Structures are given as structure tokens and as C-alpha cells.
Amino acid sequence: MIRINQVKVRPGHSEADLKKKAAEILRISLRDIKEMKIIRQSVDARKKPDIFFSYSLLLDICNEEKVLKRFKGKEAQVSKEDRVFYCFPKAGSRIRKGPIVIVGMGPAGLFCGYFLALHGYKPILLERGKCVEERQRDVELFWKEGRLHPNSNVQFGEGGAGTFSDGKLNTLVKDKDGRNGIVLETLVKYGAKESICYEAKPHMGTDVLCNVVKNMREEIIRQGGQVRFESQVTEICISEGCVEGVIIDGSERLNCEQLVLAIGHSARDTFSMLYEKQVPMEAKAFAVGLRVEHPQVMINESQYACVSSEELGAAPYKVTAKAKNGRGVYSFCMCPGGYVVNASSEEGHTAVNGMSYSGREGCNANSAVVVTVTPEDFESSHPLAGIAFQRQLEDRAYQIGRGKIPVQRYENYREAVQGEKGTDEYEFSQMDETGERIEKYCEGVRAAIGEQDKVMPQCKGMYLWADVSKILPKECNEAILDGMEAFGRQIKGFDRPDVCMSGVESRTSSPVRILRDESLQSAIRGLYPCGEGAGYAGGILSAAMDGLRVAEAIAAEYAKDGLQS
Ligand SMILES: Cc1cc2nc3c(=O)[nH]c(=O)nc-3n(C[C@H](O)[C@H](O)[C@H](O)COP(=O)(O)OP(=O)(O)OC[C@H]3O[C@@H](n4cnc5c(N)ncnc54)[C@H](O)[C@@H]3O)c2cc1C
């Protein structure tokens, strides 16, 4: 097979146009192309509005060697390419005394369970939350009425944290073994669109993700695995430095010697239990910030020099800068045509994140403008100090927002951070008889007073105009201000006065790392810390890949089910 890079075609092109272009580059006739496979597609908007799609293609052609000779020294564009086929390891020979138990059905636990089930290991998956169908109802209820279910919310439940998200599937994890590819192919097998396998910035959207997760669960069960919802692991049983089992919901004991901990970054009660059990762990750096919203058309104009384009879709962005105080400030988890979501999982604590549906048709673009925080910023060197730090911020956000998502316009945030003047959010609201602040001006009035062009929050969950500058530590607010200014130079209007800022974005990654060695086990033998919560992934794809790595480690050592000692 040969590979061609930078095959450029205009938006609106067909697959036939692509093939024709490839034949032109190789100077061969169309008939000589036996097979063509897209392996990468990206948008080249460097010379906007002259925008192209740039492809890498895998081709099976006649006279391959002869054609390749023409591109000696031009391998960057045309080269020989051998396909990397992913290969799950052969089963090991060690006999297990009990089932493999996986805690958590986020991407890490789900992919670990799926590949073990597929290869005959009949794992048991324990999820504290509900199945995705019921979970959706609980999340909608929370967003509508503010009633939080502690175990069935945006963080907890089948599919894990990323289920109510934009479902972006990019990762910085370098992968020579083909895990990235096999994870994407598996998502396609259960319902995602094929293009996620080659798009430079693939995404699925919440609506598709929910379906994929359900289909994968059904396959795990069909392959002999067990899936138990509303089954929270409240304790692990350890003897002589080895795992012996788990306690579910404070009462039921399940014996096992291989336990995968894929609990995610928000399982604070479980982290405390593991700490009490002296499972080796350490505090880890992460980032905190505020989510910012802009009109999507403004971002499209900046990125693609056009207000909208069906072929190009809603434009993404990634911005980064260094603040005067030396801290890194950057955009995180950008959601084109998306919503700010109330992603809280603890009563009295407000955390936000972002999501989009597969169509990305929302009128706003949003991302979190975040600043790196390290254990030095936490009040102690305790391994769980980062969680305490998060809780403090989320508690403030809850108080300031009165349980709703606190939102502020950038101009007022900036003035408040610079200590110039108090916030005037209250101009737009007044107290009702219960002391609740309500929107004072409806659409019509805003239009009458020339506010109609102002960005309006697009939130999943109730919001309240409030002073978000009171949530983060001073140095974080200052870094965000520096960032907004710098981003305003990179994207025109990024720092316009009416940008909506909501808080607090505190769950950007895990504040803890559960230590593991090269066999992917903790010092507690048989315990496999896995995914984002354990500190080995950041995002849906890398969490799924880590789940797969742990499945491989277990399979390579142990025999399949059904073999007795
Ligand atoms: C709103 C939102 C939007 C996001 N958007 C994106 C995006 O677009 N792209 C992207 O790459 N990433 C996104 N992320 C991040 C992504 O979701 C996570 O990186 C990923 O889900 C981590 O996977 P995981 O399997 O390690 O953990 P999680 O997905 O957090 O799953 C952990 C699971 O373990 C369960 N659990 C925890 N404790 C226990 C226990 N004691 N017993 C039983 N079960 C337990 C939880 O209920 C949960 O279901 C988003 C996150 C959020 C919250």
C-alpha cells in the first residue's frame, strides 16, 4: 500500500474528486487505483477564506514500486505504508481463583470490560450509577429543577463523565500499537460515524455517545460478562498486600483477586476509602478556571472567514498563553455550538463543563479558560489535598450562584478582578419574594435597550448572574485576565465585554494519581489503577486506551474463564 499526504480538495468535494486528485498527484490513471482508504482528514484554513480539506490516503495501486520510484526524496507526500493491525495478547496461563472485577463504567472501565469479555474473560463490571437511559432522566431533572442525584449525574453512571459531553475524541497519547485505531473502530462498530477514524478532530456528541455505550454494554453481556448498576464499591478487601475482594454498597462481599479501579476523577468518597486502606497515591497537578461563551458565528468568522459553512461545520479553536505571573493559561475542552453544563456531583458544590450534540448547532461556542494548579497551590502535601482545593472552589461557586450556575459578563469580571468596581450583574436582576434573583429583562426588553446582540448564556442547568471573580484564587483570576487579553489578539472579539463567564471549571483532570508499576498494578497486588481517575488518562479516548492496556495486562497473565486450578 502507498500513502499520500496533503491531498487538498475544496469543501463540498466528493470521494470521486478525492480519487481523481490522488491519481493526478501520482500521475496514474483512475483505473490503476484498486482501493482507496481515507486515513486522515483535516481542515487547512491557513489561507482563509481559501480553505481546503487536506487528506492522507492509503492506496492499493498497480505498479506500486514503479510509482514509488517517482517520489524518491518526496516521501513526505508519497511513501510506502504497511498497515498496523491491532492485536490483543494471547491468553496467559495463570489460573485465577475468582472473577475479574472492574469498578466504573466510564470509557476506561467499559473498554477494559469489553475487550476482556470479547476474549472470554467474563468480567464483572460494577457501576455506582444507573444505566445510561435512566441516567439521562436524572441529569435532565437536575438541569431543570436542580435536584441532584448523588450517584446518577453528569459524573456518575453508565458511560462515565464523558457521556454528557461534546464527545471529542482527540488525544495527545502517542500510540504505535494501534490502540487508538481499535478504540475508534469499536466506537464505529457500536454506532459512531465512520469518519471519527480519520478526522483530525473527531467528535461524537452526547446523543450518539449514549447509544454507543448502551450497545457496548449489551455486547459485554452477550459475551458472558456481568454488568451491575447502582453497585457502589464502598470498600476493597486486602490481605497480605493482595486484593481479596470488594464490598458493594456497604454490605455485599464479592471475592476477586484482579480488581480494576476505573473510578474517574470525581469519586472523592472512593479516593478517601483507598487512602484509608493505604493504597499508594499522590497529589497531582490539574487545572481550574471559568467557562467562556462566544457567538459561534464570531468564531467561524475568525477561523474560517465565513459566518457558517455546512461542510466545515462549527469552527473549533485552541488558544494558549503565558500569564505575567508565569502560569500557563489555555482553552480546555472547547465545545463548538455547545452548552455549558452543570456537571456537579456533590450537594452544595457547583462544577461546570461543556457539551454539544453531534450536530453542534448551538448558537454559542464555549471552552474553559483554565490555569494550571500544582500541589504547591494546595493547602497541604496530603495526597487528597487537591480534592479539598476543588471542593473549596465549588463551594464558593455554589454559594455565589445560590445553587445555580453563576455567570458574569467579562467586562464586569475584569473590573472586579482589577478591583475597579463592584459587579453590576444585579442591574439585570432583582430579588423575588424568596430572595431569588430573577432575570429582569426578557428578550424584548433587551432588544429595546440594545442588548439583543449581547451573548446570552447557553446553559444546561439553571444559571444566575453573579460575581464569579469571587470563586478562584487571585493569581488564577489574574492569569485568566492575561489569557483573555492574549486570546483577544489571536481571535478577534475573544475578549469582548459581553463574553459570558461561568464557574467553576474544577474537574479538568484527576487531582490524584494512584501509583502503579510497569505491570500496571499497584503495590497492592491484583489492584489495577486505570483511566483518568487514577491519573493515567485525560479524555475519553486516552481513558479507553488505558482501559484496553489494563485488559491486555490481565489477559497476558491469566488464563481465560472456565479453566480451574
Ligand atoms: C461534562 C463533561 C464533558 C467532557 N467532554 C469531553 C470531551 O468532549 N472529550 C473528552 O475526551 N473528554 C471529555 N470529558 C472528560 C472525559 O469524560 C473523561 O476524561 C473520561 O470520561 C474519563 O474516563 P474514565 O473511565 O477514566 O472515568 P469516568 O468517565 O469518570 O468514569 C468513572 C466511572 O466510575 C464510576 N464509579 C466511581 N466510583 C465508583 C465506585 N466506588 N463504585 C462503582 N462505580 C464507581 C462512576 O460512576 C463513573 O461512571 C468530559 C467530562 C465531562 C464531565
Side-chain angles (χ1 to χ4, degrees), residues 120-139:
Y121 283 84
K122 300 185 173 47
I124 299 180
L125 287 82
L126 302 173
E127 169 51 58
R128 67 192 294 166
K130 298 182 185 175
C131 66
V132 70
E133 302 92 319
E134 291 174 31
R135 186 185 175 195
Q136 276 174 301
R137 284 193 285 277
D138 293 331
V139 168

Side-chain angles (χ1 to χ4, degrees), residues 259-271:
L259 178 63
V260 179
L261 272 183
I263 56 174
H265 55 36
S266 294
R268 297 168 172 176
D269 47 8
T270 313
F271 286 128

Side-chain angles (χ1 to χ4, degrees), residues 103-110 126-129 135 151 154-170 231-234 262-267 269-270 273 332-335 341 343 352-355 507-508 530-534 537-544:
V103 187
M105 278 183 76
L110 189 66
L126 302 173
E127 169 51 58
R128 67 192 294 166
R135 186 185 175 195
N151 273 333
V154 171
Q155 305 290 346
F156 298 153
E158 182 179 26
T163 309
F164 301 91
S165 79
D166 180 34
K168 278 180 290 302
L169 296 168
N170 27 350
S231 300
Q232 179 180 355
V233 167
T234 47
I263 56 174
H265 55 36
S266 294
D269 47 8
T270 313
M273 176 271 286
F332 171 79
C333 193
M334 193 263 166
C335 298
V341 300
V352 296
N353 207 304
M355 69 166 265
R507 320 257 179 117
T508 52
C530 177
E532 180 162 58
I540 297 167
L541 191 55
S542 65

Side-chain angles (χ1 to χ4, degrees), residues 436-449:
E436 278 301 311
R437 292 190 201 97
I438 50 174
E439 277 290 344
K440 196 166 163 188
Y441 296 127
C442 63
E443 199 69 35
V445 173
R446 273 209 308 276
I449 59 170

Side-chain angles (χ1 to χ4, degrees), residues 177-485:
D177 304 309
R179 288 191 194 93
N180 182 319
I182 194 74
V183 166
L184 293 172
E185 283 164 26
T186 305
L187 293 170
V188 171
K189 185 174 173 187
Y190 293 101
K193 59 183 183 192
E194 258 196 53
S195 62
I196 64 167
C197 291
Y198 57 73
E199 285 165 342
K201 296 194 173 109
H203 87 281
M204 280 204 286
T206 285
D207 37 349
V208 175
L209 247 168
C210 292
N211 201 28
V212 169
V213 165
K214 185 168 93 30
N215 295 340
M216 285 182 72
R217 174 238 297 171
E218 286 165 357
E219 183 62 15
I220 291 172
I221 294 168
R222 219 176 56 72
Q223 296 282 351
Q226 285 176 49
V227 173
R228 291 180 49 181
F229 295 115
E230 300 183 79
S231 300
Q232 179 180 355
V233 167
T234 47
E235 195 181 330
I236 59 173
C237 315
I238 301 169
S239 154
E240 291 162 10
C242 296
V243 164
E244 270 200 347
V246 292
I247 304 293
I248 302 167
D249 298 331
S251 57
E252 179 197 351
R253 178 175 171 127
L254 175 60
N255 291 337
C256 66
E257 294 182 349
Q258 288 72 39
L259 178 63
V260 179
L261 272 183
I263 56 174
H265 55 36
S266 294
R268 297 168 172 176
D269 47 8
T270 313
F271 286 128
S272 305
M273 176 271 286
L274 296 167
Y275 178 75
E276 297 308 320
K277 291 279 176 181
Q278 297 168 340
V279 172
M281 57 174 73
E282 62 188 17
K284 181 180 127 326
F286 57 102
V288 294
L290 299 169
R291 204 150 265 268
V292 295
E293 292 185 84
H294 298 88
Q296 183 62 52
V297 286
M298 183 197 102
I299 302 295
N300 294 348
E301 262 179 318
S302 154
Q303 306 297 75
Y304 296 154
C306 67
V307 170
S308 72
S309 148
E310 205 169 307
E311 293 88 7
L312 297 169
Y317 64 74
K318 185 149 189 59
V319 284
T320 175
K322 193 150 185 102
K324 298 191 202 72
N325 59 19
R327 287 179 185 259
V329 54
Y330 54 97
S331 61
F332 171 79
C333 193
M334 193 263 166
C335 298
Y339 302 84
V340 174
V341 300
N342 192 328
S344 310
S345 61
E346 273 185 350
E347 270 310 335
H349 293 81
T350 298
V352 296
N353 207 304
M355 69 166 265
S356 310
Y357 294 103
S358 51
R360 291 178 158 176
E361 281 136 5
C363 61
N364 283 0
N366 75 61
S367 76
V369 172
V370 294
V371 182
T372 309
V373 288
T374 64
E376 283 68 47
D377 293 304
F378 310 155
E379 281 174 5
S380 80
S381 58
H382 188 286
L384 302 182
I387 292 180
F389 181 80
Q390 286 174 324
R391 276 195 169 125
Q392 254 174 19
L393 304 183
E394 294 171 14
D395 171 52
R396 277 191 221 130
Y398 186 88
Q399 301 308 328
I400 288 163
R402 294 168 169 261
K404 297 175 181 171
I405 299 174
V407 184
Q408 184 172 34
R409 293 210 181 279
Y410 177 57
E411 59 186 333
N412 299 314
Y413 170 77
R414 184 180 50 213
E415 281 158 11
V417 172
Q418 291 165 341
E420 278 156 19
K421 118 169 188 274
T423 62
D424 57 4
E425 267 25 76
Y426 310 124
E427 260 183 285
F428 293 125
S429 65
Q430 64 191 27
M431 299 288 190
D432 68 8
E433 57 289 346
T434 64
E436 278 301 311
R437 292 190 201 97
I438 50 174
E439 277 290 344
K440 196 166 163 188
Y441 296 127
C442 63
E443 199 69 35
V445 173
R446 273 209 308 276
I449 59 170
E451 292 276 332
Q452 74 279 16
D453 297 335
K454 280 201 172 177
V455 186
M456 286 308 291
Q458 299 296 307
C459 292
K460 292 283 181 189
M462 296 175 280
Y463 71 86
L464 186 83
W465 293 103
D467 182 359
V468 300
S469 72
K470 292 205 174 81
I471 299 173
L472 293 163
K474 184 164 169 297
E475 52 283 357
C476 293
N477 277 329
E478 288 167 354
I480 289 174
L481 273 196
D482 291 350
M484 290 296 285
E485 240 173 81

